[in-house]
Amino acid sequence: MMDFLTNDLLQLSDSAVRNAIPLLLACLAGLYSERAGIFDIGLEGKMLVAAFAAGAFSAIAGMPIADGGWDMGAWSVWIGLGAAIIASTVFSMIHAFASITLRGNQLISGVAINFFAAGITVLIGQYWFRMGGQTPQLRAGQRFEPITLPFADSLKDVPVIGDIYFKLISGHNIIVYMGFAIVALTWWVLYRTRFGLRMRAVGENPGAVDTAGISVVKLRYSALIITGILCGLAGAYLSLGTAAAGFGKDMTAGRGFIALAALIFAKWKPISAMWATLLFGMLEAIGNKYQTVDLGFVVLPGQFMQALPYILTVVILAGFVGKAIPPKAGGEPYVKER
Amino acid sequence: MNKNLPKWVDLGLIPVLTLLLAFAVSGLVVLSIGQDPIEVVKVMLNGAFNPYGIGHTLYFTTNFIFTGLAVAVAFHAKLFNIGGEGQAGIAGVGVALVMLSYDWPHWSIALLVGTIAAMAFGAAWAAIPAYLQAKRGSHIVITTIMFNLIGSALIGYLVVGPMQGEGSQPQSERFPSSASLPDFHEIFGWFGLEFAKHAPANISFFIALIAAVLVWILIWKTRLGYEMRAFGHSEKAAVYAGISPLKITMIAMLVSGALSGLMAVNTVQGDAERLLLGSVEGAGFIGIAVALMGRSHPVGVLLAAFLFGILTQGGAELQFELGIPAQMITVIQALIIMFTGSLENLVRIPMERLFIRAGKGATS
């Protein structure tokens, strides 16, 4: 039993954290958007295009000049991250232009962005690298490496606490720690700043915000810029911060939608979003570790374990785990009264 | 939508202009991957219309008529069914189950049974998201996407598990030959006409045309269709008029799922003659573009489905001739959804200004 706790459980929790990070960042991205009253089912597409930009630019930046690269060594990974954020934010601005300025259908815009991302990443990837839509395998300096936290090595022999510190808390890459920092930051922005108050108000009652002389359009655009940046981080994590070490087509695999479900589950709150995405991360970890699960009376096949996060998403959306009330003005374009 | 615009502008000019915009941007994408747009169009048109290619074009068109009608019916009740992919996939399971269970005496009976199975399984896969939307307010867009993913895992399990045929391939046993449907070569032959052999277009194409007529009757000529449109227009007013949201949501989604499901008659029974992995190939999603472009009207859906049939078959040729990945079609599809769906006001607002000004000029 003790062995299970110290080994299997720690290992599972460790992969749960790794799996949760892209979900968490995408979930927080969606939080800014939806709190400001803009539905965003295009999180998936933004993550995907960010993952591609990160993988492609990190690879190019790290290549020797002779091979057409930029020979930037250890800076490559940061070039990749920057490219991911820019690409994702550009997509977010297209969504903003369609939904805020043109007052178009936000769901349709999101769907279009998802398809566009799925197609364009493979097209350009094939044109640049000729690897069937994949980007080259990333080497050291082109991806985010695990960070060993202070004292982790000296504490690792201390029972329980040392194990947890060494195996679970230490040894992740920088985006993982950024993800958790952004949870705290988001909480602070949302509940302790003027911008956060106004953003929450614009998602509930844009008319009142407008009456107070504050620009609804400007607020919503700002929120969607943040959404773009966070989806950029989420996507960059997938290609630069996981064992994939590069971009593969459709590598987001529905994570953008699971993040939306987690957002609903978390009732649009940042701290709850962290717990919700950790839960999904844990499910994914269990599915990966135990390919088939023998319950005694029935053996669950691997495909069932893979579908488990999707099934849980439906269960959560069905409201069997508490009623979720979305921001009131969500999905409705704001038309200024004249 | 707008009373100030003449009908020909609203239903003719604006869709054409938005489509041209989408194609123009697609052309830019082609340029950006180092290809010549003119050459690309030539290859696509030749690929789609040569005697052999047309059989593929019409085969794809058949799929898109079904999925386009499915999305259109749901749109009328203001429901966004993005689950065509899963519904068509599960319908394929249904078709395979009945075809493998019995050696049907004649293809017409096999067609009838296959049609019923496809509709029933497609509708069933749409039923849970519909119920959750109506009863629990769960967002149908996300639940149908989840059902696509769950469906694909389920099919993945079936073709390597209980339904796997002989050999190690992830596919079911081949259907008995009595289940095989007449293809265009055979049908044209009945009338003494020529059509290329071995093209996948089959009798399902005519079922798609019949489905389009039935959808037109349902939406515009029946009380139920009226209720669906009323509900789609204003849920509050519809409820006030005694229309049950649960009933309309369920019926619209069941019809929509059944229509998506019919696609399996074309693909699983008509072409592959076995259950395969990933036989839907994105047709469920293309239905969204088809419905948007076709303004959710059966005639528009037929035209848009044919356009996407050309694009899909021509796109396959692009890969073959110029080495452009098949994802080119996904990009064009995305741009069409974007420009005819969410960015439509880019064209509509200037048009309104233009025609309102012209209208005022004429009256004053």
Side-chain angles (χ1 to χ4, degrees), chain B residues 112-150:
Chain B
L112 183 71
V113 177
T115 304
I116 293 168
M119 289 173 71
F121 275 70
W125 206 244
I128 301 170
Y131 182 81
L132 292 177
Q133 164 81 45
K135 272 288 185 192
R136 320 274 318 185
S138 331
H139 212 300
I140 201 156
V141 169
I142 307 179
T143 48
T144 48
I145 290 171
M146 288 302 129
F147 268 72
N148 289 341
L149 295 166
I150 298 169

mmCIF file of all heavy atoms in Angstrom, chain B residues 112-150:
data_model
loop_
_atom_site.group_PDB
_atom_site.id
_atom_site.type_symbol
_atom_site.label_atom_id
_atom_site.label_comp_id
_atom_site.label_asym_id
_atom_site.label_seq_id
_atom_site.Cartn_x
_atom_site.Cartn_y
_atom_site.Cartn_z
ATOM 1 N N LEU B 112 -33.517 -0.802 -48.441
ATOM 2 C CA LEU B 112 -34.567 -0.339 -47.527
ATOM 3 C C LEU B 112 -34.145 -0.572 -46.077
ATOM 4 O O LEU B 112 -34.238 0.328 -45.229
ATOM 5 C CB LEU B 112 -35.869 -1.074 -47.837
ATOM 6 C CG LEU B 112 -37.073 -0.635 -47.013
ATOM 7 C CD1 LEU B 112 -37.515 0.756 -47.453
ATOM 8 C CD2 LEU B 112 -38.230 -1.614 -47.152
ATOM 9 N N VAL B 113 -33.653 -1.784 -45.813
ATOM 10 C CA VAL B 113 -33.250 -2.126 -44.443
ATOM 11 C C VAL B 113 -32.065 -1.262 -44.008
ATOM 12 O O VAL B 113 -32.025 -0.738 -42.890
ATOM 13 C CB VAL B 113 -32.887 -3.624 -44.349
ATOM 14 C CG1 VAL B 113 -32.390 -3.956 -42.961
ATOM 15 C CG2 VAL B 113 -34.094 -4.475 -44.694
ATOM 16 N N GLY B 114 -31.106 -1.085 -44.938
ATOM 17 C CA GLY B 114 -29.935 -0.272 -44.629
ATOM 18 C C GLY B 114 -30.330 1.170 -44.318
ATOM 19 O O GLY B 114 -29.805 1.787 -43.387
ATOM 20 N N THR B 115 -31.266 1.694 -45.100
ATOM 21 C CA THR B 115 -31.737 3.064 -44.900
ATOM 22 C C THR B 115 -32.344 3.235 -43.516
ATOM 23 O O THR B 115 -32.043 4.192 -42.797
ATOM 24 C CB THR B 115 -32.777 3.418 -45.985
ATOM 25 O OG1 THR B 115 -32.191 3.218 -47.258
ATOM 26 C CG2 THR B 115 -33.233 4.847 -45.855
ATOM 27 N N ILE B 116 -33.191 2.272 -43.153
ATOM 28 C CA ILE B 116 -33.857 2.350 -41.849
ATOM 29 C C ILE B 116 -32.825 2.270 -40.722
ATOM 30 O O ILE B 116 -32.851 3.058 -39.766
ATOM 31 C CB ILE B 116 -34.915 1.235 -41.709
ATOM 32 C CG1 ILE B 116 -36.057 1.496 -42.704
ATOM 33 C CG2 ILE B 116 -35.459 1.186 -40.289
ATOM 34 C CD1 ILE B 116 -37.009 0.327 -42.864
ATOM 35 N N ALA B 117 -31.882 1.330 -40.873
ATOM 36 C CA ALA B 117 -30.863 1.163 -39.826
ATOM 37 C C ALA B 117 -30.017 2.430 -39.702
ATOM 38 O O ALA B 117 -29.744 2.900 -38.591
ATOM 39 C CB ALA B 117 -29.968 -0.030 -40.155
ATOM 40 N N ALA B 118 -29.625 3.006 -40.839
ATOM 41 C CA ALA B 118 -28.793 4.196 -40.815
ATOM 42 C C ALA B 118 -29.518 5.346 -40.123
ATOM 43 O O ALA B 118 -28.953 6.055 -39.282
ATOM 44 C CB ALA B 118 -28.410 4.596 -42.238
ATOM 45 N N MET B 119 -30.796 5.527 -40.463
ATOM 46 C CA MET B 119 -31.552 6.624 -39.865
ATOM 47 C C MET B 119 -31.721 6.409 -38.367
ATOM 48 O O MET B 119 -31.565 7.340 -37.570
ATOM 49 C CB MET B 119 -32.914 6.755 -40.545
ATOM 50 C CG MET B 119 -32.807 7.302 -41.965
ATOM 51 S SD MET B 119 -34.376 7.279 -42.858
ATOM 52 C CE MET B 119 -35.263 8.563 -42.011
ATOM 53 N N ALA B 120 -32.043 5.156 -37.985
ATOM 54 C CA ALA B 120 -32.282 4.873 -36.573
ATOM 55 C C ALA B 120 -31.020 5.101 -35.746
ATOM 56 O O ALA B 120 -31.053 5.757 -34.697
ATOM 57 C CB ALA B 120 -32.770 3.435 -36.416
ATOM 58 N N PHE B 121 -29.878 4.593 -36.230
ATOM 59 C CA PHE B 121 -28.642 4.732 -35.455
ATOM 60 C C PHE B 121 -28.167 6.178 -35.439
ATOM 61 O O PHE B 121 -27.676 6.663 -34.411
ATOM 62 C CB PHE B 121 -27.555 3.799 -36.014
ATOM 63 C CG PHE B 121 -27.624 2.403 -35.465
ATOM 64 C CD1 PHE B 121 -28.670 1.566 -35.823
ATOM 65 C CD2 PHE B 121 -26.668 1.932 -34.571
ATOM 66 C CE1 PHE B 121 -28.757 0.270 -35.313
ATOM 67 C CE2 PHE B 121 -26.741 0.647 -34.050
ATOM 68 C CZ PHE B 121 -27.785 -0.187 -34.420
ATOM 69 N N GLY B 122 -28.298 6.874 -36.570
ATOM 70 C CA GLY B 122 -27.909 8.293 -36.610
ATOM 71 C C GLY B 122 -28.744 9.111 -35.643
ATOM 72 O O GLY B 122 -28.223 9.940 -34.882
ATOM 73 N N ALA B 123 -30.050 8.854 -35.663
ATOM 74 C CA ALA B 123 -30.953 9.598 -34.786
ATOM 75 C C ALA B 123 -30.647 9.282 -33.320
ATOM 76 O O ALA B 123 -30.642 10.173 -32.463
ATOM 77 C CB ALA B 123 -32.407 9.261 -35.112
ATOM 78 N N ALA B 124 -30.358 8.013 -33.043
ATOM 79 C CA ALA B 124 -30.084 7.626 -31.660
ATOM 80 C C ALA B 124 -28.852 8.358 -31.122
ATOM 81 O O ALA B 124 -28.824 8.786 -29.964
ATOM 82 C CB ALA B 124 -29.873 6.112 -31.570
ATOM 83 N N TRP B 125 -27.843 8.517 -31.989
ATOM 84 C CA TRP B 125 -26.614 9.163 -31.530
ATOM 85 C C TRP B 125 -26.835 10.669 -31.312
ATOM 86 O O TRP B 125 -26.067 11.330 -30.622
ATOM 87 C CB TRP B 125 -25.473 8.906 -32.516
ATOM 88 C CG TRP B 125 -24.117 8.971 -31.910
ATOM 89 C CD1 TRP B 125 -23.133 9.863 -32.205
ATOM 90 C CD2 TRP B 125 -23.577 8.129 -30.876
ATOM 91 N NE1 TRP B 125 -22.019 9.625 -31.442
ATOM 92 C CE2 TRP B 125 -22.268 8.562 -30.608
ATOM 93 C CE3 TRP B 125 -24.092 7.048 -30.143
ATOM 94 C CZ2 TRP B 125 -21.442 7.959 -29.651
ATOM 95 C CZ3 TRP B 125 -23.274 6.457 -29.189
ATOM 96 C CH2 TRP B 125 -21.986 6.910 -28.960
ATOM 97 N N ALA B 126 -27.885 11.222 -31.944
ATOM 98 C CA ALA B 126 -28.200 12.639 -31.739
ATOM 99 C C ALA B 126 -29.136 12.834 -30.556
ATOM 100 O O ALA B 126 -29.289 13.945 -30.043
ATOM 101 C CB ALA B 126 -28.828 13.215 -33.000
ATOM 102 N N ALA B 127 -29.761 11.735 -30.114
ATOM 103 C CA ALA B 127 -30.834 11.865 -29.125
ATOM 104 C C ALA B 127 -30.340 12.343 -27.765
ATOM 105 O O ALA B 127 -30.975 13.201 -27.135
ATOM 106 C CB ALA B 127 -31.549 10.519 -28.977
ATOM 107 N N ILE B 128 -29.183 11.821 -27.331
ATOM 108 C CA ILE B 128 -28.725 12.188 -25.983
ATOM 109 C C ILE B 128 -28.333 13.669 -25.913
ATOM 110 O O ILE B 128 -28.804 14.391 -25.033
ATOM 111 C CB ILE B 128 -27.578 11.261 -25.527
ATOM 112 C CG1 ILE B 128 -28.066 9.809 -25.528
ATOM 113 C CG2 ILE B 128 -27.100 11.650 -24.131
ATOM 114 C CD1 ILE B 128 -26.960 8.796 -25.334
ATOM 115 N N PRO B 129 -27.498 14.174 -26.858
ATOM 116 C CA PRO B 129 -27.215 15.617 -26.836
ATOM 117 C C PRO B 129 -28.492 16.463 -26.921
ATOM 118 O O PRO B 129 -28.596 17.503 -26.256
ATOM 119 C CB PRO B 129 -26.342 15.826 -28.072
ATOM 120 C CG PRO B 129 -25.684 14.525 -28.317
ATOM 121 C CD PRO B 129 -26.683 13.495 -27.886
ATOM 122 N N ALA B 130 -29.472 16.003 -27.724
ATOM 123 C CA ALA B 130 -30.712 16.766 -27.864
ATOM 124 C C ALA B 130 -31.450 16.824 -26.536
ATOM 125 O O ALA B 130 -31.899 17.888 -26.093
ATOM 126 C CB ALA B 130 -31.594 16.121 -28.928
ATOM 127 N N TYR B 131 -31.543 15.668 -25.886
ATOM 128 C CA TYR B 131 -32.263 15.618 -24.616
ATOM 129 C C TYR B 131 -31.568 16.483 -23.564
ATOM 130 O O TYR B 131 -32.206 17.228 -22.826
ATOM 131 C CB TYR B 131 -32.359 14.164 -24.134
ATOM 132 C CG TYR B 131 -33.131 14.012 -22.855
ATOM 133 C CD1 TYR B 131 -34.520 13.995 -22.878
ATOM 134 C CD2 TYR B 131 -32.480 13.915 -21.622
ATOM 135 C CE1 TYR B 131 -35.252 13.886 -21.708
ATOM 136 C CE2 TYR B 131 -33.195 13.799 -20.448
ATOM 137 C CZ TYR B 131 -34.590 13.786 -20.498
ATOM 138 O OH TYR B 131 -35.302 13.691 -19.337
ATOM 139 N N LEU B 132 -30.229 16.385 -23.532
ATOM 140 C CA LEU B 132 -29.482 17.168 -22.538
ATOM 141 C C LEU B 132 -29.628 18.663 -22.797
ATOM 142 O O LEU B 132 -29.692 19.462 -21.871
ATOM 143 C CB LEU B 132 -28.005 16.770 -22.548
ATOM 144 C CG LEU B 132 -27.711 15.363 -22.032
ATOM 145 C CD1 LEU B 132 -26.228 15.050 -22.162
ATOM 146 C CD2 LEU B 132 -28.175 15.211 -20.590
ATOM 147 N N GLN B 133 -29.677 19.042 -24.081
ATOM 148 C CA GLN B 133 -29.878 20.449 -24.410
ATOM 149 C C GLN B 133 -31.257 20.921 -23.935
ATOM 150 O O GLN B 133 -31.396 21.959 -23.277
ATOM 151 C CB GLN B 133 -29.753 20.648 -25.926
ATOM 152 C CG GLN B 133 -30.305 21.965 -26.457
ATOM 153 C CD GLN B 133 -29.336 23.113 -26.279
ATOM 154 O OE1 GLN B 133 -28.161 22.984 -26.546
ATOM 155 N NE2 GLN B 133 -29.828 24.244 -25.802
ATOM 156 N N ALA B 134 -32.283 20.117 -24.248
ATOM 157 C CA ALA B 134 -33.643 20.535 -23.946
ATOM 158 C C ALA B 134 -33.931 20.501 -22.455
ATOM 159 O O ALA B 134 -34.590 21.384 -21.919
ATOM 160 C CB ALA B 134 -34.630 19.646 -24.699
ATOM 161 N N LYS B 135 -33.420 19.457 -21.781
ATOM 162 C CA LYS B 135 -33.791 19.256 -20.379
ATOM 163 C C LYS B 135 -32.817 19.915 -19.405
ATOM 164 O O LYS B 135 -33.217 20.417 -18.368
ATOM 165 C CB LYS B 135 -33.860 17.749 -20.095
ATOM 166 C CG LYS B 135 -35.220 17.153 -20.378
ATOM 167 C CD LYS B 135 -36.232 17.605 -19.322
ATOM 168 C CE LYS B 135 -37.578 16.919 -19.530
ATOM 169 N NZ LYS B 135 -38.624 17.530 -18.716
ATOM 170 N N ARG B 136 -31.501 19.851 -19.744
ATOM 171 C CA ARG B 136 -30.508 20.293 -18.777
ATOM 172 C C ARG B 136 -29.753 21.527 -19.251
ATOM 173 O O ARG B 136 -28.862 22.012 -18.557
ATOM 174 C CB ARG B 136 -29.488 19.183 -18.482
ATOM 175 C CG ARG B 136 -30.048 17.804 -18.362
ATOM 176 C CD ARG B 136 -30.535 17.450 -17.002
ATOM 177 N NE ARG B 136 -29.687 17.892 -15.913
ATOM 178 C CZ ARG B 136 -29.904 17.585 -14.649
ATOM 179 N NH1 ARG B 136 -30.915 16.812 -14.328
ATOM 180 N NH2 ARG B 136 -29.114 18.036 -13.711
ATOM 181 N N GLY B 137 -30.071 22.002 -20.444
ATOM 182 C CA GLY B 137 -29.393 23.195 -20.953
ATOM 183 C C GLY B 137 -27.918 22.980 -21.263
ATOM 184 O O GLY B 137 -27.165 23.934 -21.322
ATOM 185 N N SER B 138 -27.518 21.725 -21.463
ATOM 186 C CA SER B 138 -26.108 21.480 -21.806
ATOM 187 C C SER B 138 -25.871 21.929 -23.237
ATOM 188 O O SER B 138 -26.640 21.568 -24.131
ATOM 189 C CB SER B 138 -25.761 20.005 -21.733
ATOM 190 O OG SER B 138 -26.557 19.363 -20.792
ATOM 191 N N HIS B 139 -24.808 22.681 -23.440
ATOM 192 C CA HIS B 139 -24.569 23.271 -24.742
ATOM 193 C C HIS B 139 -24.411 22.211 -25.824
ATOM 194 O O HIS B 139 -23.491 21.407 -25.791
ATOM 195 C CB HIS B 139 -23.320 24.140 -24.690
ATOM 196 C CG HIS B 139 -23.428 25.288 -25.622
ATOM 197 N ND1 HIS B 139 -23.591 25.102 -26.957
ATOM 198 C CD2 HIS B 139 -23.432 26.618 -25.412
ATOM 199 C CE1 HIS B 139 -23.678 26.281 -27.534
ATOM 200 N NE2 HIS B 139 -23.594 27.223 -26.608
ATOM 201 N N ILE B 140 -25.329 22.239 -26.806
ATOM 202 C CA ILE B 140 -25.376 21.156 -27.784
ATOM 203 C C ILE B 140 -24.132 21.131 -28.659
ATOM 204 O O ILE B 140 -23.737 20.084 -29.160
ATOM 205 C CB ILE B 140 -26.665 21.233 -28.627
ATOM 206 C CG1 ILE B 140 -26.968 19.883 -29.257
ATOM 207 C CG2 ILE B 140 -26.569 22.302 -29.705
ATOM 208 C CD1 ILE B 140 -28.401 19.678 -29.587
ATOM 209 N N VAL B 141 -23.491 22.297 -28.837
ATOM 210 C CA VAL B 141 -22.282 22.326 -29.653
ATOM 211 C C VAL B 141 -21.196 21.460 -29.010
ATOM 212 O O VAL B 141 -20.568 20.631 -29.657
ATOM 213 C CB VAL B 141 -21.784 23.770 -29.842
ATOM 214 C CG1 VAL B 141 -20.400 23.780 -30.458
ATOM 215 C CG2 VAL B 141 -22.742 24.536 -30.729
ATOM 216 N N ILE B 142 -21.013 21.635 -27.719
ATOM 217 C CA ILE B 142 -19.947 20.874 -27.055
ATOM 218 C C ILE B 142 -20.347 19.407 -26.894
ATOM 219 O O ILE B 142 -19.535 18.512 -27.133
ATOM 220 C CB ILE B 142 -19.583 21.496 -25.690
ATOM 221 C CG1 ILE B 142 -19.273 22.978 -25.883
ATOM 222 C CG2 ILE B 142 -18.382 20.796 -25.078
ATOM 223 C CD1 ILE B 142 -18.935 23.697 -24.617
ATOM 224 N N THR B 143 -21.614 19.147 -26.541
ATOM 225 C CA THR B 143 -21.984 17.737 -26.350
ATOM 226 C C THR B 143 -21.909 16.971 -27.674
ATOM 227 O O THR B 143 -21.465 15.824 -27.687
ATOM 228 C CB THR B 143 -23.397 17.571 -25.752
ATOM 229 O OG1 THR B 143 -24.305 18.393 -26.465
ATOM 230 C CG2 THR B 143 -23.430 17.922 -24.292
ATOM 231 N N THR B 144 -22.318 17.600 -28.783
ATOM 232 C CA THR B 144 -22.234 16.851 -30.051
ATOM 233 C C THR B 144 -20.778 16.619 -30.450
ATOM 234 O O THR B 144 -20.449 15.572 -30.989
ATOM 235 C CB THR B 144 -23.012 17.541 -31.197
ATOM 236 O OG1 THR B 144 -22.674 18.916 -31.234
ATOM 237 C CG2 THR B 144 -24.496 17.381 -31.038
ATOM 238 N N ILE B 145 -19.896 17.579 -30.165
ATOM 239 C CA ILE B 145 -18.471 17.354 -30.449
ATOM 240 C C ILE B 145 -17.962 16.176 -29.608
ATOM 241 O O ILE B 145 -17.240 15.307 -30.098
ATOM 242 C CB ILE B 145 -17.641 18.617 -30.167
ATOM 243 C CG1 ILE B 145 -17.952 19.683 -31.214
ATOM 244 C CG2 ILE B 145 -16.140 18.303 -30.184
ATOM 245 C CD1 ILE B 145 -17.350 21.023 -30.918
ATOM 246 N N MET B 146 -18.364 16.142 -28.331
ATOM 247 C CA MET B 146 -17.939 15.040 -27.467
ATOM 248 C C MET B 146 -18.465 13.709 -28.006
ATOM 249 O O MET B 146 -17.776 12.696 -27.969
ATOM 250 C CB MET B 146 -18.445 15.248 -26.042
ATOM 251 C CG MET B 146 -17.736 16.362 -25.306
ATOM 252 S SD MET B 146 -15.968 16.085 -25.225
ATOM 253 C CE MET B 146 -15.326 17.613 -25.815
ATOM 254 N N PHE B 147 -19.696 13.726 -28.522
ATOM 255 C CA PHE B 147 -20.257 12.493 -29.076
ATOM 256 C C PHE B 147 -19.534 12.068 -30.349
ATOM 257 O O PHE B 147 -19.490 10.874 -30.659
ATOM 258 C CB PHE B 147 -21.777 12.614 -29.275
ATOM 259 C CG PHE B 147 -22.538 12.138 -28.080
ATOM 260 C CD1 PHE B 147 -22.546 12.887 -26.917
ATOM 261 C CD2 PHE B 147 -23.197 10.921 -28.089
ATOM 262 C CE1 PHE B 147 -23.207 12.428 -25.788
ATOM 263 C CE2 PHE B 147 -23.858 10.454 -26.970
ATOM 264 C CZ PHE B 147 -23.864 11.212 -25.812
ATOM 265 N N ASN B 148 -18.988 13.041 -31.079
ATOM 266 C CA ASN B 148 -18.136 12.663 -32.217
ATOM 267 C C ASN B 148 -16.924 11.879 -31.726
ATOM 268 O O ASN B 148 -16.562 10.839 -32.277
ATOM 269 C CB ASN B 148 -17.624 13.903 -32.957
ATOM 270 C CG ASN B 148 -18.710 14.611 -33.731
ATOM 271 O OD1 ASN B 148 -19.742 14.037 -34.018
ATOM 272 N ND2 ASN B 148 -18.470 15.858 -34.059
ATOM 273 N N LEU B 149 -16.284 12.409 -30.682
ATOM 274 C CA LEU B 149 -15.061 11.781 -30.178
ATOM 275 C C LEU B 149 -15.367 10.430 -29.545
ATOM 276 O O LEU B 149 -14.641 9.451 -29.737
ATOM 277 C CB LEU B 149 -14.379 12.712 -29.171
ATOM 278 C CG LEU B 149 -13.862 14.033 -29.771
ATOM 279 C CD1 LEU B 149 -13.522 15.044 -28.691
ATOM 280 C CD2 LEU B 149 -12.650 13.779 -30.645
ATOM 281 N N ILE B 150 -16.482 10.366 -28.785
ATOM 282 C CA ILE B 150 -16.860 9.097 -28.150
ATOM 283 C C ILE B 150 -17.211 8.074 -29.226
ATOM 284 O O ILE B 150 -16.797 6.908 -29.171
ATOM 285 C CB ILE B 150 -18.054 9.304 -27.182
ATOM 286 C CG1 ILE B 150 -17.655 10.256 -26.051
ATOM 287 C CG2 ILE B 150 -18.535 7.974 -26.622
ATOM 288 C CD1 ILE B 150 -18.816 10.739 -25.207
#
